[in-house]
Amino acid sequence: MERGGSLSASSFAPAELPALVLAYLGDVVWEAYVRRRLVKEAGIRVTARALHEKALKMVSATAQASVLKDFEGALTDEELAVMKRGRRTRPRRANRPSTMSEYRNSTGFEALLGYLDLKGEESRLDELMGLAYDLEIAGYEGDKTGE
């Protein structure tokens, strides 16, 4: 029996999947990316708790929504359409403490990441996640200096 397995566009058309399914996958793609970058940048003098706390802030709907305006400008028409489709989904409720607007925007962001992952566009996925990460870090650092 195969465990997990690999998913790819050759198995089915990612564009035909529901946006919330794409976002479900995109959520884990984004969280794994953030965790890897935080560990890589922190070096050996860091605790798992500190990494976890920073990762939680970065993968939150609020954080994802805050970078979306700058992030959208880097998207192709196809990518923008996928993101908008994710943003238009009707979830039952927003996860606390985010607003419904933040939740919808983050769902669009995650749907795009899930879509690119399934299409196997690794270099584009890495490029966009790097941009989003850098925008979030800049916002995080800006919040710390403004306190």
Side-chain angles (χ1 to χ4, degrees), residues 83-97:
M83 193 203 60
K84 286 181 178 180
R85 186 165 60 101
R87 198 166 50 193
R88 285 191 304 266
T89 60
R90 302 274 184 216
R92 291 184 186 181
R93 67 183 190 291
N95 290 337
R96 292 181 189 155

Side-chain angles (χ1 to χ4, degrees), residues 52-72:
H52 179 69
E53 288 173 1
K54 193 164 186 180
L56 280 179
K57 290 177 184 175
M58 293 188 72
V59 300
S60 72
T62 302
Q64 292 171 12
S66 71
V67 301
L68 206 56
K69 184 177 180 183
D70 294 323
F71 184 80
E72 282 183 18

Side-chain angles (χ1 to χ4, degrees), residues 116-130:
L116 292 173
D117 182 63
L118 287 176
K119 281 190 71 179
E121 295 186 15
E122 292 178 23
S123 63
R124 181 62 173 158
L125 182 61
D126 285 342
E127 177 186 349
L128 290 177
M129 287 192 299

Side-chain angles (χ1 to χ4, degrees), residues 100-140:
M100 185 59 80
S101 175
E102 290 170 336
Y103 186 75
R104 283 187 173 166
N105 282 325
S106 69
T107 300
F109 172 76
E110 292 168 349
L112 173 61
L113 299 183
Y115 177 78
L116 292 173
D117 182 63
L118 287 176
K119 281 190 71 179
E121 295 186 15
E122 292 178 23
S123 63
R124 181 62 173 158
L125 182 61
D126 285 342
E127 177 186 349
L128 290 177
M129 287 192 299
L131 173 62
Y133 183 92
D134 292 344
L135 288 168
E136 282 195 28
I137 287 292
Y140 178 76

